[in-house]
Amino acid sequence: MIYKRSSALFAEAQKVIPGGVNSPVRAFKAVGGDPIFVKEAKGAYLYDEDGRKLIDYIASWGPMILGHAHQPVVDAVVEKAQKGTSFGMPTAIETEIAKLAVSMVPGIDKIRFVNSGTEACMSAVRLARGFTGREKIIKFAGCYHGHSDSFLIQAGSGAVTFGSPNSPGVTQGTAKDTLLADYNNLDQVQALFEANEGEIAGIIVEPVAGNMGCIPPATGFLEGLRSLCDTHDSLLIFDEVMTGFRLARGGVQELMNVRADIVTYGKVIGGGLPVGAFAARTEIMSHLAPEGPVYQAGTLSGNPLAMAAGLAMLTELNTGDVFENLAKKTAYLHEGMNAVLQEAGLTYTINRLGSMISVHFAKDPVIDFKTAAAGDNDTFKKFFHGLLAEGIYIAPSAYESWFLNDALSYEDLDMTIAAVKKVAQTL
Ligand code: KE4
């Protein structure tokens, strides 16, 4: 089904923006058709340019955990904007949100704000290299840590969706310092350490993967990475850009009781404005400029407008039981979808953890990139477009997680399950 106004806007956009979008995964390349252009959003609903109301399951890829245009966040942004949005000078609000974030997350003493998850992860790796004096990092096939050169080596998310995990423009000089292992495979990580003894600055991992669909860590996986880093004096970097302030107040470190050395953030921490961050204990963060020699900077880092949105968001999340509510809603959706997909006699598997969930049309359990890639993408395309026609917007790629927001009502979930039931009959 095409949506006239969105398609017209897409044609216009392509004249002046590469691919018509400012981030590839929005272009619907993985599912076909023209992307939907959103006019506005409120709560759990998107309102597209063709006047349709859609129940939203990507929440801007995670940030809108409390729903769109959440009033306390809007109020904070409007108030701050009237007093100036950025000064390039320190402001008190940066300390306020930094103190709150540090109080919510175990194992960190200090935090540096940047403008995106990519910047946070790129900076965290540089800090790990500066702190250890080593050059190599280990990442996992299918995990995505943003578009910095060191990470576009079998990255997940958009890069995998395009089927070209190694991006042109990444030099061999860079690629040689990124070692790859399969997610949930500790033996491979052990082998990499043995083959590169004394050369590995750290491991960067999505502690719950969200860029191959949602893939929880196997039992003992994170603990195993922790132990290997301790044995080899390397740093463990948890990329919590997706999971931070989403799966628990203290993220996966709290949920799984595994401590990282450096943790990166994005998405939720900015309340929908461009904010990333990376955090660690004082011993590590003291290596960062201007205190230490590891350079990192940013014109708009910690700007008051973004900090106001982030502070309002974290303040909302710091009290109440949004994480438990979201986990219950996601379990309800899981059970409902499972029942109707099974009834339709389909081959599928559903992965879920907290408010992250994904549906894979694969016969084997999806535990890493290889098993995620074995999913039937043609069926996923029909599933995506069928749901869209029913007013349900899920991630436009099988390599993405869905993100529930707490504005979703159980009626919305029931409508979604009914739509899945209807679409499942056509697959
Ligand atoms: P950004 O630079 O897009 O803010 O964050 C990069 C990033 C880092 N780490 C993880 C675990 C991430 O998931 C991301 C970004 N996630 C994608 C969605 N899978 C953002 C969507 C997009 O690229 O447009």
Side-chain angles (χ1 to χ4, degrees):
M1 177 184 283
I2 68 147
Y3 305 98
K4 278 194 174 32
R5 179 100 180 96
S6 279
S7 293
L9 286 168
F10 186 46
E12 276 306 296
Q14 290 177 86
K15 293 174 186 167
V16 281
I17 301 171
V21 293
N22 284 306
S23 197
V25 75
R26 303 175 191 169
F28 276 25
K29 289 287 184 201
V31 292
D34 290 345
I36 295 294
F37 277 60
V38 177
K39 187 168 194 168
E40 57 189 293
K42 181 70 178 169
Y45 311 123
L46 302 167
Y47 298 90
D48 74 12
E49 287 284 355
D50 289 279
R52 290 164 21 93
K53 175 182 174 184
L54 303 170
I55 300 178
D56 181 19
Y57 282 98
I58 72 161
S60 181
W61 302 99
M64 314 321 288
I65 188 170
L66 295 175
H68 292 282
H70 186 65
Q71 206 52 51
V73 176
V74 172
D75 294 346
V77 168
V78 168
E79 189 205 341
K80 187 58 81 175
Q82 284 155 354
K83 298 174 180 166
T85 55
S86 180
F87 314 117
M89 298 162 71
T91 57
I93 194 169
E94 294 161 77
T95 309
E96 208 179 336
I97 186 175
K99 282 183 173 173
L100 177 56
V102 166
S103 74
M104 292 170 77
V105 176
I108 63 170
D109 300 323
K110 294 193 174 182
I111 188 166
R112 168 63 60 84
F113 288 99
V114 293
N115 303 283
S116 70
T118 295
E119 259 195 278
C121 293
M122 175 181 80
S123 308
V125 163
R126 184 180 310 135
L127 179 58
R129 286 170 164 156
F131 178 78
T132 61
R134 298 175 178 178
E135 297 189 352
K136 289 187 163 64
I137 59 166
I138 294 173
K139 78 173 287 291
F140 295 90
C143 283
Y144 178 69
H145 306 292
H147 63 90
S148 168
D149 283 6
S150 296
F151 303 137
L152 292 182
I153 318 287
Q154 281 204 356
S157 185
V160 168
T161 301
F162 279 80
S164 55
N166 290 303
S167 168
V170 175
T171 66
Q172 276 312 314
T174 298
K176 71 177 176 42
D177 287 332
T178 300
L179 307 173
L180 277 169
D182 289 334
Y183 196 72
N184 281 324
N185 190 319
L186 283 172
D187 292 343
Q188 288 180 2
V189 180
Q190 166 100 27
L192 288 173
F193 271 111
E194 286 162 4
N196 299 274
E197 191 55 64
E199 294 182 67
I200 296 175
I203 297 173
I204 185 165
V205 65
E206 292 181 54
V208 172
N211 288 289
M212 302 177 260
C214 170
I215 301 183
T219 305
F221 177 59
L222 297 179
E223 295 79 356
L225 296 181
R226 178 68 274 164
S227 166
L228 283 165
C229 283
D230 292 341
T231 303
H232 298 277
D233 295 322
S234 297
L235 297 187
L236 180 55
I237 304 169
F238 272 8
D239 175 353
E240 293 221 46
V241 168
M242 274 185 172
T243 58
F245 306 106
R246 167 166 282 278
L247 297 186
R249 284 169 77 255
V252 175
Q253 287 194 103
E254 174 190 314
L255 207 62
M256 309 265 181
N257 200 20
V258 178
R259 291 291 173 270
D261 294 300
I262 303 176
V263 200
T264 65
Y265 297 103
K267 298 181 194 278
V268 172
I269 198 171
L273 265 65
V275 178
F278 57 108
R281 60 183 184 273
T282 301
E283 178 198 11
I284 296 174
M285 294 302 270
S286 66
H287 280 66
L288 205 56
E291 206 175 320
V294 178
Y295 196 69
Q296 180 275 325
T299 302
L300 292 171
S301 294
N303 75 77
L305 186 65
M307 294 291 94
L311 179 59
M313 176 64 87
L314 295 194
T315 302
E316 290 278 292
L317 296 175
N318 193 32
T319 55
D321 42 17
V322 63
F323 304 109
E324 297 71 26
N325 290 342
L326 272 170
K328 285 184 192 131
K329 289 180 180 177
T330 312
Y332 183 88
L333 179 65
H334 183 162
E335 283 147 34
M337 290 200 295
N338 191 46
V340 298
L341 291 171
Q342 202 163 25
E343 190 184 317
L346 292 168
T347 302
Y348 68 94
T349 183
I350 299 174
N351 285 2
R352 165 174 61 95
L353 200 150
S355 57
M356 293 170 66
I357 186 169
S358 55
V359 176
H360 302 263
F361 295 101
K363 64 179 174 36
D364 297 326
V366 174
I367 59 163
D368 58 14
F369 174 54
K370 284 191 196 90
T371 46
D376 178 341
N377 201 50
D378 287 338
T379 302
F380 182 83
K381 285 179 178 179
K382 291 182 199 136
F383 184 62
F384 172 83
H385 283 290
L387 286 179
L388 184 57
E390 296 298 319
I392 310 295
Y393 192 80
I394 66 171
S397 164
Y399 291 105
E400 297 291 351
S401 176
W402 309 5
F403 299 96
L404 271 72
N405 70 75
D406 204 31
L408 285 163
S409 66
Y410 279 90
E411 290 72 28
D412 295 323
L413 300 176
D414 286 336
M415 281 172 67
T416 305
I417 293 161
V420 171
K421 181 183 173 88
K422 182 175 175 186
V423 173
Q425 304 303 327
T426 68
L427 299 180

